[in-house]
């Protein structure tokens, strides 16, 4: 049996098999090309996000590095300063001659009993060695009760302006004890740095407590040397 061909038509089975049916028209080929391009763009964005270098390594996301931020300068080394002078300022009261006794409270008497010229020695923080006066203040209790001396402060000043004299501990300083027995006396020894040319006008302040008026001794220290 013989098959006949229609004129002008040819059957090409190999060509039909090589081209998928969904790419057989031009619009379908354009859609396929667009899909491929989109996939390539997405792949490029992913790869760029994984391997692209960051602008500022070591800075966490969201942190904004400050430009021109102030840096802390190293602290300056501390310098030694003189220790403040203990004791209150001299009150405006009539002074007692430096060689005479004075009543602190009824039955309690203070007196400067001895003054010595010494070379003051610096031992504690802020102390400065120099020509000094070692002053002995004697407290006498003539009452029948123990007297507290816990808050008693002895201070020294020199010159007409009453410049505070720094206090030292050495040689031989021994402040008053915390209390004074009945019918007894006790000495307190204090060392003050006073320039040699300022000893003609020395003020010693005995401040017993905040509710008792201080005693002020004043005069030429040479009267007691």
């Amino acid at each position: 049996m013989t098959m006949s061909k229609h004129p002008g038509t040819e059957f090409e089975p190999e060509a039909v098999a090589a081209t998928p049916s969904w790419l057989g028209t031009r619009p379908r080929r354009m859609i396929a090309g667009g899909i491929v391009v989109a996939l390539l763009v997405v792949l490029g964005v992913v790869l760029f996000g994984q391997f692209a270098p960051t602008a500022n390594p070591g800075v966490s996301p969201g942190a904004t590095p400050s430009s021109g931020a102030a840096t802390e300068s190293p602290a300056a080394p501390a310098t030694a300063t003189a220790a403040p002078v203990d004791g209150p300022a001299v009150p405006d009261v009539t002074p007692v001659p430096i060689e005479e006794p004075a009543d602190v409270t009824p039955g309690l008497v203070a007196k400067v009993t001895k003054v010595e010229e010494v070379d003051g020695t610096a031992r504690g923080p802020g102390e400065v060695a120099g020509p000094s006066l070692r002053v002995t203040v004697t407290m006498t209790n003539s009452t029948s009760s123990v007297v507290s001396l816990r808050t008693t402060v002895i201070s020294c000043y020199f010159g007409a302006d009453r410049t505070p004299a720094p206090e030292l501990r050495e040689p031989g300083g021994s402040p008053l004890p915390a209390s004074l027995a009945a019918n007894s006396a006790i000495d307190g020894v204090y060392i003050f740095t006073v320039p040699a040319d300022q000893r003609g006008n020395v003020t010693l302040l005995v401040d017993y407590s905040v509710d008792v008026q201080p005693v002020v001794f004043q005069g030429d220290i040479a009267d007691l040397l």
Side-chain angles (χ1 to χ4, degrees):
M1 182 176 178
T2 305
M3 295 180 64
S4 61
K5 298 182 178 179
H6 293 284
T9 62
E10 295 181 357
F11 181 72
E12 298 179 358
E14 294 180 358
V16 172
T19 304
S21 60
W22 60 277
L23 292 176
T25 63
R26 183 175 180 181
R28 291 179 179 178
R29 289 196 295 271
M30 293 177 64
I31 293 172
I35 294 173
V36 172
V37 171
L39 291 175
L40 291 176
V41 171
V42 172
L43 180 61
V45 171
V46 172
L47 293 176
F48 180 80
Q50 291 181 351
F51 298 102
T54 58
N56 191 3
V59 178
S60 59
T64 304
S66 59
S67 59
T71 57
E72 295 183 0
S73 58
T79 56
T81 57
V85 177
D86 293 333
V90 180
D92 188 16
V93 298
T94 303
V96 176
I98 201 166
E99 70 277 3
E100 294 184 7
D103 292 331
V104 178
T105 61
L108 181 64
V109 176
K111 188 177 189 304
V112 180
T113 53
K114 189 176 183 180
V115 177
E116 304 168 90
E117 294 179 323
V118 296
D119 292 326
T121 304
R123 297 294 188 192
E127 292 184 350
V128 179
S132 304
L133 297 174
R134 185 164 58 199
V135 179
T136 300
V137 177
T138 301
M139 304 290 285
T140 302
N141 177 17
S142 60
T143 71
S144 58
S145 303
V146 175
V147 173
S148 174
L149 300 177
R150 187 178 302 276
T151 60
T152 303
V153 177
I154 310 297
S155 305
C156 181
Y157 304 81
F158 58 85
D161 295 333
R162 290 179 171 175
T163 302
E167 184 177 353
L168 301 175
R169 303 178 186 178
E170 298 292 341
S174 179
L176 289 167
S179 62
L180 175 58
N183 298 306
S184 62
I186 193 72
D187 291 340
V189 181
Y190 299 86
I191 301 164
F192 301 103
T193 302
V194 179
D197 59 350
Q198 297 290 327
R199 296 177 182 178
N201 187 0
V202 173
T203 300
L204 288 170
L205 178 67
V206 179
D207 188 23
Y208 176 68
S209 68
V210 295
D211 55 350
V212 175
Q213 181 173 279
V215 173
V216 178
F217 296 101
Q218 187 175 12
D220 186 345
I221 208 70
D223 296 338
L224 294 172
L225 290 175

